[in-house]
Amino acid sequence: MDTYTEFLEDRARDIHPEDDIDYSRELMAVVAMFRDFDEALDTFLIKHGFSGDCSDIDAKIAYIRTKCEESGVQPPRNMKKWYTEHKRIKKETAIRICFAFSLSVEESEDFLRRICLLRGFDCHNIEEVICFYAISNGLSYSEARQLMEKAPKVSWGKIDFDKEVLYTAAILAEVRRFKSGEELIGYLAANIRQFGYNNATAYKYIREMWSEISAEGGLAAMERKRLYDGFDDTDRTIRQARRGRSGQDKPSLWEIYLQILGLAGDRISRLDTDRSLKPILKDNELLHAWAEDSFPSRVGLEKILNGEHASEQLVHKTIILLVFYRFWVKSALKNHSYQAKSGDTGRCTCEINKYLMDAGYPELYPGDPFDWVILHAVENEFPLLVFREFMRELFYIKERDVDARYASEWS
């Protein structure tokens, strides 16, 4: 583990919101520590032969361009913006760099995870499964492109879980046994409908966990009944009004989602969220922009539950959030307390990582801003409460903005 990762892990472990510290200020300091893609790329270039001055942007671009040309890879466009505007890299471009630097599958996965903060190869994506096969078998980028030209065309659609679904592990097992590109192309053609969506394993896990959480008498309902301290007293008023109308308490997906985050209640409506956290997350000084982009959302969760296409990053973080919540709410219900027991921290981290790896995603990484928030919570004595305290800090920042705006309008 490098110094950068170790330092972020230490900060996740050392910050405790209940201590006599300015919690918001500590979080802001952590946000400033996360490196942008260009900083991470510099460490990669040095490890892979660049010996020039890292402050010389043109020299670094020239080095990447040379490696691309030597490997028959078209150099990426607008590389200068990686450094001058801190632009993130697209996944297709990141995979081309893997070919340019002749990385192995393991090195490619590590590059995608730690340098680009991206998922590894998505084997429900035709081009990515071909790249996985090519890199695994030492083929060049041009040979991979030739296979892509022969591959059948695919149209994106919904996952039909009532029919047989090929999950990531099954696809990888098949791809690893092929002895030629022709075998791979034949396999893709025979199973083309299985490549009209992505994240099938992840979707399956998310749907199962959400059913366990949201069902009548499920984990969320039991937590509300026995333990949950809502964001404000109006949450109870809303529940009582709903019971009065229908005789039942049936929270919506949005309400359960807010409960998971510790934001259930009426105060959040002041931010005009329209059942979205975007107004809270956007340009929030306590949250790195990369975490904002991939933060689990109500809309994303609805898409996943309906089998519709959602971004890899959103699916990735939704798995993390639901496994985290399910683990700690089960523990809280069992022990009548939100306090972690001995060994729970390691067990929770292992459970999250197991789900991620089964679905083809990388393990929790402290250098990823969203992952860091989860690791920060897990490392504390009351993990679920610490996570909810973090979410409320995000809310309070925006609430103060609203209060200031109202004060200005009425002054």
Side-chain angles (χ1 to χ4, degrees):
M1 187 181 296
D2 58 30
T3 304
Y4 169 74
T5 305
E6 287 181 350
F7 185 74
L8 286 169
E9 271 200 339
D10 288 342
R11 296 309 297 144
R13 189 178 300 113
D14 294 342
I15 298 175
H16 304 279
E18 69 274 12
D19 289 347
D20 186 22
I21 60 172
D22 186 333
Y23 187 46
S24 291
R25 189 176 299 277
E26 293 289 339
L27 294 175
M28 289 180 202
V30 171
V31 169
M33 294 173 192
F34 289 113
R35 62 190 184 190
D36 291 311
F37 169 66
D38 56 294
E39 296 177 274
L41 183 61
D42 282 353
T43 66
F44 172 81
L45 294 178
I46 292 169
K47 183 178 179 180
H48 289 83
F50 178 73
S51 57
D53 182 357
C54 278
S55 65
D56 188 340
I57 294 175
D58 290 335
K60 291 184 288 190
I61 291 174
Y63 183 70
I64 296 171
R65 191 177 299 278
T66 297
K67 297 295 287 186
C68 288
E69 291 170 349
E70 289 174 351
S71 302
V73 176
Q74 181 181 1
R77 296 180 179 180
N78 300 319
M79 283 189 278
K80 198 157 194 172
K81 289 186 177 180
W82 297 347
Y83 292 98
T84 60
E85 300 179 20
H86 304 297
K87 290 285 188 181
R88 291 191 68 173
I89 191 171
K90 292 183 178 179
K91 193 172 185 185
E92 186 273 335
T93 302
I95 292 175
R96 278 159 52 195
I97 289 179
C98 294
F99 278 99
F101 282 81
S102 302
L103 303 184
S104 66
V105 167
E106 292 74 19
E107 290 170 332
S108 297
E109 296 276 1
D110 186 67
F111 174 74
L112 293 170
R113 175 200 181 204
R114 291 195 310 108
I115 307 301
C116 307
L117 299 190
L118 294 168
R119 177 190 181 181
F121 296 101
D122 175 10
C123 288
H124 277 280
N125 178 298
I126 289 283
E127 293 197 356
E128 289 187 33
V129 76
I130 289 173
C131 289
F132 174 85
Y133 172 82
I135 291 175
S136 297
N137 289 276
L139 303 183
S140 67
Y141 183 69
S142 61
E143 290 173 308
R145 292 300 307 173
Q146 291 171 13
L147 288 175
M148 291 178 198
E149 291 172 3
K150 297 177 182 177
K153 303 302 179 185
V154 64
S155 58
W156 290 89
K158 293 176 62 174
I159 302 177
D160 186 351
F161 285 96
D162 291 330
K163 296 181 180 179
E164 183 181 2
V165 174
L166 275 179
Y167 294 106
T168 300
I171 295 174
L172 289 175
E174 288 294 307
V175 172
R176 287 192 174 104
R177 71 178 181 82
F178 296 142
K179 303 299 183 184
S180 69
E182 287 70 25
E183 284 186 89
L184 173 63
I185 298 302
Y187 173 78
L188 296 176
N191 295 278
I192 190 60
R193 73 174 186 84
Q194 299 282 354
F195 295 89
Y197 48 79
N198 63 352
N199 300 302
T201 305
Y203 276 44
K204 174 177 177 286
Y205 287 151
I206 290 170
R207 286 159 61 94
E208 290 173 350
M209 285 188 286
W210 186 254
S211 177
E212 186 177 1
I213 291 167
S214 65
E216 186 173 348
L219 296 175
M222 287 192 288
E223 187 199 13
R224 284 195 306 277
K225 182 178 180 180
R226 302 180 190 176
L227 294 166
Y228 185 67
D229 178 17
F231 193 33
D232 54 27
D233 288 337
T234 57
D235 183 48
R236 298 187 188 91
T237 304
I238 291 169
R239 295 203 304 273
Q240 289 166 359
R242 188 185 298 112
R243 289 192 189 97
R245 291 194 304 270
S246 65
Q248 291 184 318
D249 182 12
K250 294 183 178 178
S252 66
L253 181 147
W254 171 242
E255 290 169 312
I256 296 174
Y257 171 69
L258 289 180
Q259 178 185 333
I260 291 172
L261 302 179
L263 297 177
D266 196 44
R267 290 175 64 183
I268 199 171
S269 64
R270 294 187 60 216
L271 300 185
D272 299 323
T273 62
D274 190 27
R275 298 190 304 151
S276 169
L277 287 187
K278 286 184 179 180
I280 296 174
L281 305 178
K282 185 172 176 58
D283 299 326
N284 195 307
E285 54 193 326
L286 302 187
L287 190 70
H288 193 277
W290 287 21
E292 175 191 334
D293 290 343
S294 61
F295 204 94
S297 68
R298 174 193 62 83
V299 172
L301 181 55
E302 287 178 343
K303 285 183 176 181
I304 294 167
L305 296 176
N306 290 330
E308 299 171 6
H309 176 71
S311 74
E312 285 186 351
Q313 286 292 81
L314 193 148
V315 175
H316 181 188
K317 304 314 181 187
T318 300
I319 289 181
I320 293 173
L321 177 63
L322 294 188
V323 177
F324 169 84
Y325 173 73
R326 187 182 66 169
F327 182 93
W328 291 112
V329 80
K330 279 185 173 181
S331 172
L333 291 167
K334 178 181 178 182
N335 298 301
H336 309 289
S337 169
Y338 287 108
Q339 186 173 19
K341 302 300 181 184
S342 176
D344 278 352
T345 295
R347 282 190 285 271
C348 178
T349 303
C350 287
E351 186 164 323
I352 293 173
N353 286 336
K354 176 184 180 299
Y355 274 87
L356 290 174
M357 289 187 290
D358 282 354
Y361 287 94
E363 297 180 349
L364 289 168
Y365 174 53
D368 182 301
F370 181 82
D371 291 13
W372 184 90
V373 173
I374 296 297
L375 289 167
H376 164 55
V378 169
E379 290 288 352
N380 273 265
E381 187 176 2
F382 296 86
L384 188 53
L385 298 186
V386 168
F387 174 72
R388 287 169 170 169
E389 179 65 22
F390 172 83
M391 293 304 305
R392 292 173 187 181
E393 288 291 323
L394 296 181
F395 172 85
Y396 295 140
I397 289 286
K398 292 298 181 176
E399 187 179 44
R400 287 197 291 271
D401 291 345
V402 171
D403 290 341
R405 186 172 72 244
Y406 286 165
S408 175
E409 289 173 354
W410 287 99
S411 62

